[in-house]
Amino acid sequence: MTPPIELYRTMFTIKECDDRFWTLMQSGQIVLNYYSPRGQEAVSAGVCAALRPSDYLVTTYRGLHDHIAKGVPLDALWAEFLGRVGGTCKGKGGPMHITHPESGLMVTTGVVGSGLPIANGFALWSQISEDDRVTAVSFGDGATNIGAFHEALNLAAVWKLPVLFVCHNNLFAEHTAYAAGTSAEHVADRAAAYGIPGVRVDGNDPLAVRDAAAEAVVRGRAGEGPTLLEAVTFRFRGHQFGDDGAYIDPAIFASAQERDPIPAFRSRLLAEFGMPESEIAGVEDEVRTAVRDAAEGALAAPEPPAVELHTDVLATSLPGGAA
């Protein structure tokens, strides 16, 4: 069981990385196609705490929180975000295509909802090979209105695939409020159509997310099929960098910020778990140093040489030596 302080470390690391990306972009030092996960840190921290290192995770372009929570090394992650040598994909994928199989982070997709059927593929392989892995896949509430969502849930249910479908319901699909685009009152309610469990949880509480995810993972590993987990949270920054969020009611935004999962869980560490302020502050200092070093290392690293345009694009042979 992941200790609460380690859940906080993950959440704080996500926040510090996001803040630094934002600062560097605002100053013009870097240019990224960037989708902030600020406010959603507890979801990824909780879900990944329920997974084994060997379990698979598929995420979407708003995936920084998943990348960090699943254990992608910060140095390689920052280098890839900035398109530099030393990145997880040699600097050629960028923030929307992070891949790091060593950590179980298998795919970051740039298309809404496209990760769900991909996750089924990984889970099917685990089922066939009996490797005891579970695959988790993250997506937003907007993705629950496309065909791939329904097709993936149906097939996973029919084949009893070990998949944890995780909806990060931040209440806005790009610029559209949840109620304006979705007929179901809750995303979790849609699980009933496929005869699988649908669980709705407070996405600002990493312990609640962890416990719900852990129960779903046990089901999947036991061959009992998939679970749809809806983690209700909020997105504190625009859909992407440059979006000022003017379409969000200021009162709703202010109310959400009052429930910011970072300070809320920090307070719980002090009051509920009796952790000394010095221990929490020490973790925060360690994280700030690690993020600073990763950012500075990436900024100083070179871009991939032009020859890399011609590598990793064509398989010249198949396993076994066949042409």
Side-chain angles (χ1 to χ4, degrees):
M1 187 72 71
T2 304
I5 189 62
E6 292 307 311
L7 286 171
Y8 182 73
R9 181 191 297 274
T10 298
M11 293 167 63
F12 194 75
T13 302
I14 297 164
K15 174 189 176 299
E16 284 298 301
C17 281
D18 181 75
D19 285 347
R20 190 167 288 263
F21 277 129
W22 211 257
T23 298
L24 290 171
M25 287 187 292
Q26 286 180 320
S27 67
Q29 291 179 260
I30 62 174
V31 178
L32 297 178
N33 195 8
Y34 183 69
Y35 299 83
S36 169
R38 183 68 186 92
Q40 301 176 208
E41 297 90 348
V43 182
S44 297
V47 167
C48 290
L51 299 174
R52 295 174 181 169
S54 59
D55 287 331
Y56 295 137
L57 177 63
V58 177
T59 189
T60 185
Y61 48 84
R62 192 184 313 280
L64 177 67
H65 44 352
D66 279 343
H67 304 151
I68 291 171
K70 195 61 175 75
V72 179
L74 286 184
D75 291 347
L77 184 63
W78 267 86
E80 190 60 41
F81 263 66
L82 271 57
R84 307 300 173 91
V85 169
T88 57
C89 298
K90 301 182 182 179
K92 298 189 289 184
M96 295 177 69
H97 301 287
I98 300 295
T99 302
H100 195 256
E102 298 88 342
S103 301
L105 195 288
M106 305 306 290
V107 180
T108 299
T109 69
V111 178
V112 172
S114 63
L116 286 87
I118 294 173
N120 276 0
F122 284 118
L124 178 60
W125 168 249
S126 292
Q127 187 181 74
I128 292 171
S129 63
E130 300 181 347
D131 66 11
D132 203 34
R133 284 186 171 101
V134 168
T135 297
V137 54
S138 295
F139 49 92
D141 49 285
T144 67
N145 293 326
I146 70 170
F149 169 83
H150 300 280
E151 293 163 1
L153 263 66
N154 181 64
L155 194 60
V158 169
W159 288 348
K160 293 190 179 299
L161 297 178
V163 185
L164 172 56
F165 295 102
V166 184
C167 177
H168 294 236
N169 187 355
N170 62 27
L171 308 183
F172 284 88
E174 194 167 351
H175 304 148
T176 304
Y178 177 83
T182 305
S183 60
E185 183 178 2
H186 305 305
V187 169
D189 296 341
R190 292 183 157 181
Y194 308 104
I196 65 175
V199 180
R200 194 167 190 262
V201 67
D202 179 1
N204 291 338
D205 181 347
L207 297 177
V209 175
R210 181 198 64 190
D211 292 347
E215 184 175 342
V217 166
V218 168
R219 286 190 70 256
R221 226 182 289 283
E224 297 175 13
T227 299
L228 173 60
L229 176 63
E230 176 189 7
V232 183
T233 181
F234 201 80
R235 187 189 71 205
F236 289 164
R237 288 176 167 147
H239 173 65
Q240 65 187 104
F241 184 73
D243 170 17
D244 63 4
Y247 47 87
I248 301 177
D249 185 322
I252 293 176
F253 187 78
S255 176
Q257 285 194 308
E258 290 176 359
R259 301 189 302 276
D260 186 333
I262 303 290
F265 195 57
R266 193 185 198 280
S267 295
R268 289 181 67 185
L269 292 177
L270 292 167
E272 185 177 332
F273 296 99
M275 293 185 179
E277 168 67 30
S278 58
E279 182 178 351
I280 300 172
V283 166
E284 292 170 341
D285 287 342
E286 291 171 6
V287 167
R288 290 189 186 100
T289 298
V291 172
R292 181 201 65 204
D293 290 348
E296 291 179 355
L299 287 167
E303 295 180 354
V307 68
E308 281 292 345
L309 290 171
H310 304 286
T311 64
D312 308 313
V313 294
L314 177 66
T316 55
S317 64
L318 298 175

